[in-house]
Amino acid sequence: MNTVRLGRTGLSVSASGFGAIPIQRLSFADAERLLKKAYDSGITFFDTARSYSDSEEKIGRALSGVRKNIVIATKSPLVDAAALRTNIETSLRNLRTGCIDILQLHNPPDVPGTDHEAYRVLLDAKAKGQIRFIGFTNHQLKTAREALLSGLYDTIQFPFNHLSTDDELALIGECANHDVGVIVMKALSGGLITDARRAFAFLRQYKNAVPIWGIEKDRELDEFVALEKDPPVLDAAIQKAIDDDRRELSGSFCRACGYCMPCPQDIQISMAARMSLLLNRMPYQQFMSDTWRERMERIAGCTECGSCKEKCPYGLDTPELLKKNLIYYRDFYQEHRRTV
């Protein structure tokens, strides 16, 4: 498999990474088999997070025997110093490793600097040999760019795919100029993009970027391995298909940036506007609760004041997107609530 250098970390990783959100939906035995198959297929980069329930544990169980041959990135939310230390210790234990290659701050609202207690904890963990490099993830372009320009973060993880805007995609080049590694989340727009071939061809243009494909099934893994063996060329036919996707799907790609919040009706827009994707990528049982049902039903009380639509930096018709997700959620709930 081709490899990519993750910026100034100097880490050489497989050009296709393994995004470990979906393995939460698998049993330990099935996850272990899939992860080992991924490693045997040439994948050496595995991305998870403290908040992905048992994802870290599954990686630790499956891959501890080949730890020296792989690169593991995990994440912690921006919490107080004591909680962050606990998160790091828990991740080390779950992953069955003495050192985490990349510890990423997970989608904080602002960029912690050297005077922030969380960043000082990360520096201390690095000095102790618990982590090697410090990364940053975000859904907001402005915040991700601030993290890049701060010079404090070795990698940036951000949503990139062929539905992204030119301004978003420009961040990849900026990271290259600063020798910061690029980790690509939402390479398939959370499931909105259904043709992996065109998504793969588009992202392969960026030689410094590593997509972490969310993989749950053998056929998904097999498809990405096959694409690595015979990479598609971004030719006129694929470009036309990408242009079609942009026309048809760009209005449905919620980045969860949060600029539309707060909602006067207390609708949790950044979650509700992509609920159909969440239900099919994460353990859906959590969204079958009475609490989440009530949150989604708030959409029915939308007054279409236009506040969210006006504030969306991506020009989405947010009220319409919310209504579509409510319809999908209601149907999904009726079908699956008895299985919880």
Side-chain angles (χ1 to χ4, degrees):
M1 189 173 289
N2 291 322
T3 59
V4 171
R5 174 181 171 274
L6 268 180
R8 65 186 181 221
T9 70
L11 296 170
S12 179
V13 300
S14 55
S16 282
F18 191 109
I21 286 181
I23 63 170
Q24 297 174 91
R25 299 162 69 100
L26 301 179
S27 68
F28 269 84
D30 287 342
E32 182 174 7
R33 183 191 57 75
L34 185 65
L35 287 162
K36 286 182 174 179
K37 179 178 176 180
Y39 171 75
D40 290 340
S41 300
I43 292 178
T44 61
F45 184 50
F46 296 83
D47 178 272
T48 181
R50 182 78 290 282
S51 58
Y52 298 167
S53 62
D54 58 9
S55 176
E56 287 182 335
E57 293 176 83
K58 287 169 176 171
I59 289 175
R61 173 172 165 170
L63 300 175
S64 59
V66 295
R67 178 65 185 92
K68 64 181 181 181
N69 301 327
I70 63 175
V71 172
I72 296 176
T74 192
K75 315 178 191 76
S76 173
L78 182 61
V79 288
D80 62 60
L84 182 54
R85 289 191 192 97
T86 298
N87 280 352
I88 293 171
E89 294 287 350
T90 301
S91 292
L92 288 166
R93 184 169 58 253
N94 287 346
L95 292 165
R96 302 188 188 185
T97 185
C99 180
I100 296 163
D101 296 302
I102 306 172
L103 196 291
Q104 304 161 98
L105 286 182
H106 200 176
N107 201 35
D110 300 298
V111 181
T114 53
D115 59 342
H116 196 289
E117 63 175 1
Y119 194 84
R120 292 198 298 270
V121 167
L122 296 179
L123 288 178
D124 183 59
K126 187 175 181 180
K128 291 177 179 177
Q130 294 178 314
I131 64 177
R132 297 175 67 187
F133 301 103
I134 300 172
F136 189 88
T137 82
N138 220 257
H139 294 271
Q140 298 191 34
L141 179 59
K142 178 177 179 290
T143 309
R145 182 171 282 125
E146 288 175 357
L148 167 65
L149 297 178
S150 74
L152 300 177
Y153 297 92
D154 301 306
T155 61
I156 299 292
Q157 184 172 152
F158 190 78
F160 294 113
N161 55 62
H162 62 253
L163 304 184
S164 299
T165 66
D166 290 342
D167 284 344
E168 289 170 326
L169 294 170
L171 182 62
I172 300 178
E174 293 179 55
C175 285
N177 292 337
H178 289 81
D179 202 23
V180 168
V182 178
I183 303 170
V184 176
M185 68 163 109
K186 305 272 190 304
L188 292 174
S189 190
L192 193 61
I193 297 169
T194 57
D195 189 305
R197 181 178 174 82
R198 67 189 66 154
F200 188 101
F202 179 83
L203 288 172
R204 191 47 60 95
Q205 300 176 92
Y206 302 98
K207 304 303 181 184
N208 62 318
V210 180
I212 45 172
W213 307 106
I215 297 173
E216 179 184 355
K217 300 178 176 64
D218 281 85
R219 60 175 174 78
E220 295 168 344
L221 174 59
D222 293 343
E223 182 172 24
F224 291 119
V225 171
L227 289 169
E228 281 290 345
K229 289 180 178 178
D230 185 19
V233 176
L234 186 57
D235 56 18
I238 291 181
Q239 185 60 57
K240 182 182 182 303
I242 285 173
D243 292 341
D244 290 343
D245 276 352
R246 284 174 170 162
R247 282 192 294 271
E248 296 171 14
L249 302 175
S250 290
S252 300
F253 180 22
C254 174
R255 278 81 164 174
C257 68
Y259 283 122
C260 56
M261 301 291 285
C263 168
Q265 303 304 314
D266 200 26
I267 299 168
Q268 297 188 8
I269 300 172
S270 60
M271 292 289 283
R274 56 196 179 102
M275 181 56 67
S276 60
L277 305 179
L278 296 173
L279 290 171
N280 288 290
R281 299 306 291 169
M282 299 180 69
Y284 69 82
Q285 291 84 354
Q286 62 188 304
F287 300 114
M288 297 295 100
S289 67
D290 291 342
T291 298
W292 265 109
R293 188 182 183 194
E294 187 275 328
R295 288 173 179 170
M296 289 301 293
E297 287 297 334
R298 292 176 195 171
I299 296 172
C302 172
T303 62
E304 300 196 35
C305 66
S307 173
C308 56
K309 187 174 180 178
E310 290 173 4
K311 290 186 287 186
C312 178
Y314 306 103
L316 302 184
D317 186 344
T318 311
E320 183 63 24
L321 191 56
L322 287 168
K323 291 175 185 177
K324 289 180 179 178
N325 274 271
L326 176 58
I327 292 170
Y328 187 95
Y329 178 83
R330 285 171 171 170
D331 290 342
F332 191 98
Y333 181 86
Q334 289 301 318
E335 182 179 352
H336 293 86
R337 64 190 175 94
R338 293 184 180 86
T339 65
V340 178

